[in-house]
Amino acid sequence: MADFMKNKAKLIFIIYGIIIALVILGAIIYMTFVTNVHIAYTINDQTGAIEIFDESLFQSTGGDNTALFSYFNSNSDAASPFYSADFAKNFEVVNEGDHNILYYGINGVSFARTIYNFQVSMSSFNTTLLVFGIISLVCFAVMLIFSNQSRRVYYKSNLYIGVLMPLTVAVLSVVALIMNFSLLGEFNKNYDLYRVAAYLQNPNVSKIVKNGLKKDYSIVTNGVDQFGPQGYVIVTIILAIVIIASVFMIVYSIYRYKECAKHRNDILERVANNQ
């Protein structure tokens, strides 16, 4: 076992480095499946407050919120959870504007603001995930600097680095995992709202086609391209693997140090006995 750990040390570290790099890959694809769950907004020059209008523009595409606002104002399909005629019965008034998407909501938050809060939370976590991935790679680099991957003999410095760096990676991964589950819970709670937004805010779907959703909610229930919880699932799997790999690296470092210490003690004992 000890020989295997020594001879395959570089391979073990290469695999660990690849696993850590998966966090950055996860950050890159994380928002792919909810990328259209967003709403255009403007910032008030005087107050700095976020304001949402139907004509607010997305700077990247030049699109606006017209289709989204129009849907909530005149949706006529009773199969939809956002059937306009039932808004007063099923949702609370939040008094944020004349349009239904601003006027009605849940828990004191309008539909429009809920979409905005979600896109901000997702974007913030996506950045956090990327930062965590970079920090984790730095931790991995520190282990390489101390030559933990090539040391035939592990010293205390190798032990400390071999435990502290993977522990840091594991802690960051646990924090990210908790944040990911929290966002997944938010996603599931407002799944219907986000699914509708993903369809109506998709720049690749024409406004004429989007108008069909007002009379036929099955357009959404039959599936929306690139929408779903896949990003959460992928990141959960990646983070779980990173945590397991980090725990293994901690155990590996402790094992290597103990084996080296035992080997040194055996040598000293033999020298003492021969004197």
Side-chain angles (χ1 to χ4, degrees):
M1 184 66 176
D3 290 338
F4 175 81
M5 289 292 193
K6 290 179 183 179
N7 297 334
K8 302 298 181 181
K10 290 184 179 180
L11 177 61
I12 290 171
F13 272 80
I14 289 173
I15 294 174
Y16 184 54
I18 293 174
I19 290 174
I20 288 178
L22 290 177
V23 175
I24 294 179
L25 177 61
I28 293 174
I29 65 175
Y30 186 62
M31 292 187 66
T32 300
F33 304 99
V34 294
T35 187
N36 290 319
V37 184
H38 56 189
I39 193 165
Y41 61 90
T42 57
I43 301 176
N44 189 295
D45 293 333
Q46 277 70 43
T47 64
I50 298 298
E51 298 178 338
I52 301 173
F53 305 105
D54 54 350
E55 69 271 14
S56 298
L57 296 175
F58 291 104
Q59 294 182 354
S60 57
T61 63
D64 55 34
N65 299 322
T66 302
L68 191 61
F69 272 59
S70 178
Y71 175 77
F72 279 85
N73 281 339
S74 55
N75 173 33
S76 59
D77 186 354
S80 168
F82 307 109
Y83 180 42
S84 299
D86 287 343
F87 272 144
K89 180 176 65 176
N90 296 332
F91 301 101
E92 62 185 276
V93 174
V94 295
N95 294 318
E96 289 193 15
D98 297 330
H99 296 278
N100 283 342
I101 196 171
L102 296 170
Y103 193 66
Y104 293 100
I106 303 173
N107 298 324
V109 183
S110 70
F111 297 127
R113 183 66 63 162
T114 298
I115 295 171
Y116 169 79
N117 290 341
F118 178 75
Q119 74 186 64
V120 170
S121 297
M122 285 293 298
S123 179
S124 176
F125 176 67
N126 195 61
T127 300
T128 299
L129 193 63
L130 182 60
V131 171
F132 280 6
I134 293 173
I135 293 175
S136 297
L137 284 179
V138 170
C139 291
F140 176 68
V142 171
M143 295 173 70
L144 298 183
I145 291 172
F146 277 78
S147 301
N148 280 34
Q149 79 285 1
S150 58
R151 289 281 187 187
R152 301 295 293 181
V153 177
Y154 259 47
Y155 299 99
K156 285 187 176 181
S157 59
N158 298 108
L159 173 64
Y160 296 151
I161 292 298
V163 171
L164 182 59
M165 294 299 103
L167 180 61
T168 300
V169 174
V171 169
L172 291 177
S173 298
V174 169
V175 171
L177 193 60
I178 293 172
M179 295 173 68
N180 182 56
F181 282 143
S182 177
L183 285 169
L184 177 58
E186 174 65 23
F187 174 82
N188 289 330
K189 183 173 67 175
N190 296 297
Y191 179 82
D192 291 322
L193 175 62
Y194 299 148
R195 181 167 59 175
V196 167
Y199 179 77
L200 294 175
Q201 298 292 68
N202 188 340
N204 295 322
V205 179
S206 70
K207 289 187 177 182
I208 294 177
V209 174
K210 290 176 182 177
N211 281 334
L213 184 60
K214 294 179 183 179
K215 297 180 180 180
D216 185 7
Y217 189 68
S218 66
I219 292 175
V220 167
T221 57
N222 288 336
V224 178
D225 291 341
Q226 290 191 328
F227 174 80
Q230 297 94 320
Y232 302 100
V233 174
I234 292 172
V235 168
T236 296
I237 293 172
I238 289 174
L239 292 175
I241 293 174
V242 170
I243 292 170
I244 293 171
S246 296
V247 171
F248 171 81
M249 293 303 294
I250 292 173
V251 173
Y252 170 84
S253 297
I254 295 173
Y255 176 82
R256 285 293 310 277
Y257 178 77
K258 286 186 175 181
E259 282 296 314
C260 290
K262 181 178 180 299
H263 183 65
R264 285 194 297 270
N265 291 335
D266 289 342
I267 293 176
L268 292 175
E269 186 177 342
R270 284 198 298 270
V271 171
N273 292 334
N274 291 332
Q275 289 180 345

Short mmCIF file of all heavy atoms in Angstrom, two decimals, residues 105-139:
data_model
loop_
_atom_site.label_atom_id
_atom_site.label_comp_id
_atom_site.label_asym_id
_atom_site.label_seq_id
_atom_site.Cartn_x
_atom_site.Cartn_y
_atom_site.Cartn_z
N GLY A 105 -48.22 39.44 -6.69
CA GLY A 105 -47.04 38.67 -6.34
C GLY A 105 -47.30 37.73 -5.18
O GLY A 105 -48.44 37.43 -4.83
N ILE A 106 -46.21 37.27 -4.57
CA ILE A 106 -46.28 36.33 -3.45
C ILE A 106 -45.37 36.83 -2.34
O ILE A 106 -44.25 37.30 -2.59
CB ILE A 106 -45.82 34.92 -3.89
CG1 ILE A 106 -46.68 34.43 -5.06
CG2 ILE A 106 -45.92 33.93 -2.73
CD1 ILE A 106 -46.19 33.12 -5.66
N ASN A 107 -45.86 36.73 -1.10
CA ASN A 107 -45.08 37.13 0.08
C ASN A 107 -44.56 38.56 -0.03
O ASN A 107 -43.43 38.86 0.34
CB ASN A 107 -43.91 36.17 0.30
CG ASN A 107 -44.37 34.75 0.58
OD1 ASN A 107 -45.38 34.53 1.22
ND2 ASN A 107 -43.61 33.78 0.08
N GLY A 108 -45.41 39.43 -0.55
CA GLY A 108 -45.07 40.85 -0.64
C GLY A 108 -44.11 41.21 -1.75
O GLY A 108 -43.66 42.36 -1.83
N VAL A 109 -43.79 40.25 -2.62
CA VAL A 109 -42.85 40.49 -3.72
C VAL A 109 -43.57 40.26 -5.05
O VAL A 109 -44.18 39.20 -5.26
CB VAL A 109 -41.63 39.56 -3.63
CG1 VAL A 109 -40.63 39.89 -4.73
CG2 VAL A 109 -40.96 39.70 -2.26
N SER A 110 -43.49 41.21 -5.94
CA SER A 110 -44.16 41.08 -7.24
C SER A 110 -43.51 40.00 -8.09
O SER A 110 -42.36 39.59 -7.85
CB SER A 110 -44.13 42.41 -7.99
OG SER A 110 -42.80 42.71 -8.41
N PHE A 111 -44.24 39.55 -9.10
CA PHE A 111 -43.69 38.57 -10.03
C PHE A 111 -42.41 39.12 -10.68
O PHE A 111 -41.41 38.40 -10.81
CB PHE A 111 -44.70 38.23 -11.13
CG PHE A 111 -45.96 37.60 -10.63
CD1 PHE A 111 -47.20 38.13 -10.96
CD2 PHE A 111 -45.91 36.46 -9.84
CE1 PHE A 111 -48.36 37.54 -10.51
CE2 PHE A 111 -47.07 35.86 -9.39
CZ PHE A 111 -48.31 36.40 -9.71
N ALA A 112 -42.46 40.38 -11.09
CA ALA A 112 -41.31 40.99 -11.76
C ALA A 112 -40.10 41.03 -10.83
O ALA A 112 -38.98 40.69 -11.23
CB ALA A 112 -41.65 42.40 -12.22
N ARG A 113 -40.33 41.44 -9.58
CA ARG A 113 -39.21 41.53 -8.63
C ARG A 113 -38.69 40.14 -8.26
O ARG A 113 -37.48 39.97 -8.03
CB ARG A 113 -39.68 42.26 -7.38
CG ARG A 113 -38.61 42.50 -6.33
CD ARG A 113 -37.53 43.42 -6.79
NE ARG A 113 -38.01 44.76 -7.07
CZ ARG A 113 -37.20 45.82 -7.15
NH1 ARG A 113 -35.90 45.70 -6.98
NH2 ARG A 113 -37.69 47.01 -7.43
N THR A 114 -39.57 39.14 -8.24
CA THR A 114 -39.13 37.77 -7.95
C THR A 114 -38.18 37.28 -9.03
O THR A 114 -37.15 36.66 -8.74
CB THR A 114 -40.35 36.82 -7.86
OG1 THR A 114 -41.20 37.24 -6.79
CG2 THR A 114 -39.91 35.39 -7.61
N ILE A 115 -38.52 37.56 -10.29
CA ILE A 115 -37.63 37.17 -11.40
C ILE A 115 -36.31 37.91 -11.29
O ILE A 115 -35.24 37.31 -11.47
CB ILE A 115 -38.31 37.48 -12.75
CG1 ILE A 115 -39.56 36.62 -12.95
CG2 ILE A 115 -37.33 37.25 -13.91
CD1 ILE A 115 -40.40 37.01 -14.15
N TYR A 116 -36.38 39.20 -10.99
CA TYR A 116 -35.15 40.00 -10.84
C TYR A 116 -34.28 39.45 -9.71
O TYR A 116 -33.06 39.29 -9.88
CB TYR A 116 -35.51 41.46 -10.57
CG TYR A 116 -34.33 42.30 -10.14
CD1 TYR A 116 -33.40 42.77 -11.07
CD2 TYR A 116 -34.12 42.58 -8.79
CE1 TYR A 116 -32.30 43.52 -10.67
CE2 TYR A 116 -33.02 43.33 -8.38
CZ TYR A 116 -32.11 43.79 -9.32
OH TYR A 116 -31.02 44.52 -8.91
N ASN A 117 -34.89 39.17 -8.56
CA ASN A 117 -34.12 38.67 -7.41
C ASN A 117 -33.45 37.35 -7.74
O ASN A 117 -32.31 37.09 -7.33
CB ASN A 117 -35.04 38.49 -6.20
CG ASN A 117 -35.51 39.81 -5.61
OD1 ASN A 117 -34.92 40.86 -5.86
ND2 ASN A 117 -36.58 39.77 -4.83
N PHE A 118 -34.16 36.52 -8.51
CA PHE A 118 -33.61 35.22 -8.88
C PHE A 118 -32.39 35.38 -9.79
O PHE A 118 -31.36 34.73 -9.58
CB PHE A 118 -34.67 34.38 -9.58
CG PHE A 118 -34.19 33.03 -10.05
CD1 PHE A 118 -33.98 32.00 -9.15
CD2 PHE A 118 -33.93 32.80 -11.40
CE1 PHE A 118 -33.53 30.76 -9.59
CE2 PHE A 118 -33.48 31.57 -11.84
CZ PHE A 118 -33.28 30.55 -10.93
N GLN A 119 -32.51 36.24 -10.80
CA GLN A 119 -31.39 36.40 -11.72
C GLN A 119 -30.18 37.00 -11.01
O GLN A 119 -29.03 36.62 -11.30
CB GLN A 119 -31.79 37.26 -12.92
CG GLN A 119 -31.93 38.75 -12.66
CD GLN A 119 -32.47 39.52 -13.86
OE1 GLN A 119 -33.59 39.31 -14.29
NE2 GLN A 119 -31.67 40.43 -14.40
N VAL A 120 -30.40 37.89 -10.05
CA VAL A 120 -29.30 38.47 -9.29
C VAL A 120 -28.64 37.41 -8.40
O VAL A 120 -27.40 37.31 -8.34
CB VAL A 120 -29.79 39.65 -8.42
CG1 VAL A 120 -28.70 40.10 -7.45
CG2 VAL A 120 -30.20 40.82 -9.31
N SER A 121 -29.47 36.60 -7.73
CA SER A 121 -28.93 35.55 -6.87
C SER A 121 -28.15 34.52 -7.66
O SER A 121 -27.07 34.08 -7.24
CB SER A 121 -30.08 34.86 -6.11
OG SER A 121 -30.74 35.76 -5.26
N MET A 122 -28.67 34.14 -8.81
CA MET A 122 -27.98 33.16 -9.65
C MET A 122 -26.66 33.71 -10.16
O MET A 122 -25.63 33.02 -10.14
CB MET A 122 -28.88 32.77 -10.82
CG MET A 122 -30.02 31.84 -10.46
SD MET A 122 -29.45 30.22 -9.94
CE MET A 122 -28.63 29.65 -11.43
N SER A 123 -26.67 34.95 -10.61
CA SER A 123 -25.45 35.58 -11.13
C SER A 123 -24.40 35.71 -10.03
O SER A 123 -23.21 35.45 -10.26
CB SER A 123 -25.78 36.95 -11.72
OG SER A 123 -24.63 37.58 -12.21
N SER A 124 -24.85 36.09 -8.84
CA SER A 124 -23.94 36.25 -7.71
C SER A 124 -23.30 34.92 -7.32
O SER A 124 -22.08 34.83 -7.10
CB SER A 124 -24.69 36.84 -6.51
OG SER A 124 -23.85 36.92 -5.38
N PHE A 125 -24.12 33.87 -7.25
CA PHE A 125 -23.58 32.56 -6.90
C PHE A 125 -22.66 32.02 -7.99
O PHE A 125 -21.66 31.37 -7.71
CB PHE A 125 -24.70 31.56 -6.64
CG PHE A 125 -24.18 30.17 -6.37
CD1 PHE A 125 -23.45 29.89 -5.22
CD2 PHE A 125 -24.38 29.15 -7.28
CE1 PHE A 125 -22.96 28.62 -4.97
CE2 PHE A 125 -23.90 27.87 -7.04
CZ PHE A 125 -23.18 27.61 -5.88
N ASN A 126 -23.01 32.28 -9.24
CA ASN A 126 -22.17 31.84 -10.34
C ASN A 126 -20.77 32.43 -10.23
O ASN A 126 -19.76 31.75 -10.44
CB ASN A 126 -22.81 32.24 -11.67
CG ASN A 126 -22.21 31.51 -12.84
OD1 ASN A 126 -22.27 30.29 -12.93
ND2 ASN A 126 -21.64 32.25 -13.77
N THR A 127 -20.72 33.73 -9.86
CA THR A 127 -19.43 34.39 -9.65
C THR A 127 -18.71 33.79 -8.45
O THR A 127 -17.49 33.55 -8.49
CB THR A 127 -19.63 35.90 -9.42
OG1 THR A 127 -20.28 36.47 -10.56
CG2 THR A 127 -18.30 36.60 -9.20
N THR A 128 -19.47 33.55 -7.38
CA THR A 128 -18.89 32.93 -6.18
C THR A 128 -18.30 31.57 -6.49
O THR A 128 -17.21 31.22 -6.02
CB THR A 128 -19.97 32.79 -5.08
OG1 THR A 128 -20.46 34.08 -4.72
CG2 THR A 128 -19.40 32.12 -3.84
N LEU A 129 -19.02 30.79 -7.28
CA LEU A 129 -18.55 29.45 -7.65
C LEU A 129 -17.25 29.54 -8.44
O LEU A 129 -16.32 28.74 -8.21
CB LEU A 129 -19.63 28.76 -8.49
CG LEU A 129 -19.47 27.26 -8.73
CD1 LEU A 129 -19.53 26.51 -7.41
CD2 LEU A 129 -20.57 26.76 -9.66
N LEU A 130 -17.16 30.52 -9.32
CA LEU A 130 -15.94 30.71 -10.09
C LEU A 130 -14.77 31.11 -9.19
O LEU A 130 -13.66 30.58 -9.32
CB LEU A 130 -16.17 31.78 -11.16
CG LEU A 130 -15.00 32.08 -12.10
CD1 LEU A 130 -14.59 30.84 -12.87
CD2 LEU A 130 -15.36 33.21 -13.07
N VAL A 131 -15.03 32.01 -8.23
CA VAL A 131 -13.99 32.44 -7.28
C VAL A 131 -13.54 31.26 -6.43
O VAL A 131 -12.34 31.07 -6.20
CB VAL A 131 -14.52 33.58 -6.39
CG1 VAL A 131 -13.54 33.88 -5.27
CG2 VAL A 131 -14.76 34.84 -7.22
N PHE A 132 -14.50 30.47 -5.95
CA PHE A 132 -14.15 29.29 -5.15
C PHE A 132 -13.28 28.33 -5.96
O PHE A 132 -12.34 27.73 -5.43
CB PHE A 132 -15.43 28.57 -4.70
CG PHE A 132 -16.09 29.20 -3.50
CD1 PHE A 132 -15.63 30.40 -2.98
CD2 PHE A 132 -17.18 28.60 -2.90
CE1 PHE A 132 -16.24 30.99 -1.88
CE2 PHE A 132 -17.80 29.17 -1.80
CZ PHE A 132 -17.33 30.37 -1.29
N GLY A 133 -13.61 28.18 -7.25
CA GLY A 133 -12.83 27.30 -8.10
C GLY A 133 -11.40 27.78 -8.26
O GLY A 133 -10.45 26.98 -8.21
N ILE A 134 -11.23 29.09 -8.41
CA ILE A 134 -9.88 29.67 -8.55
C ILE A 134 -9.09 29.51 -7.26
O ILE A 134 -7.91 29.15 -7.26
CB ILE A 134 -9.98 31.15 -8.96
CG1 ILE A 134 -10.57 31.27 -10.37
CG2 ILE A 134 -8.62 31.82 -8.89
CD1 ILE A 134 -10.86 32.70 -10.79
N ILE A 135 -9.75 29.78 -6.11
CA ILE A 135 -9.08 29.62 -4.81
C ILE A 135 -8.67 28.17 -4.62
O ILE A 135 -7.56 27.88 -4.12
CB ILE A 135 -10.01 30.06 -3.67
CG1 ILE A 135 -10.26 31.57 -3.73
CG2 ILE A 135 -9.41 29.69 -2.31
CD1 ILE A 135 -11.27 32.07 -2.72
N SER A 136 -9.53 27.25 -5.03
CA SER A 136 -9.22 25.82 -4.90
C SER A 136 -8.01 25.44 -5.75
O SER A 136 -7.16 24.65 -5.32
CB SER A 136 -10.43 24.99 -5.30
OG SER A 136 -11.53 25.23 -4.43
N LEU A 137 -7.92 26.02 -6.95
CA LEU A 137 -6.75 25.75 -7.80
C LEU A 137 -5.48 26.32 -7.18
O LEU A 137 -4.40 25.73 -7.30
CB LEU A 137 -6.98 26.34 -9.19
CG LEU A 137 -7.92 25.56 -10.11
CD1 LEU A 137 -8.06 26.28 -11.45
CD2 LEU A 137 -7.40 24.14 -10.34
N VAL A 138 -5.60 27.48 -6.52
CA VAL A 138 -4.45 28.06 -5.82
C VAL A 138 -4.00 27.12 -4.70
O VAL A 138 -2.80 26.90 -4.50
CB VAL A 138 -4.80 29.45 -5.25
CG1 VAL A 138 -3.69 29.95 -4.32
CG2 VAL A 138 -5.02 30.45 -6.38
N CYS A 139 -4.97 26.57 -3.96
CA CYS A 139 -4.64 25.61 -2.90
C CYS A 139 -3.92 24.40 -3.48
O CYS A 139 -2.94 23.90 -2.89
CB CYS A 139 -5.91 25.17 -2.17
SG CYS A 139 -6.70 26.44 -1.17
#
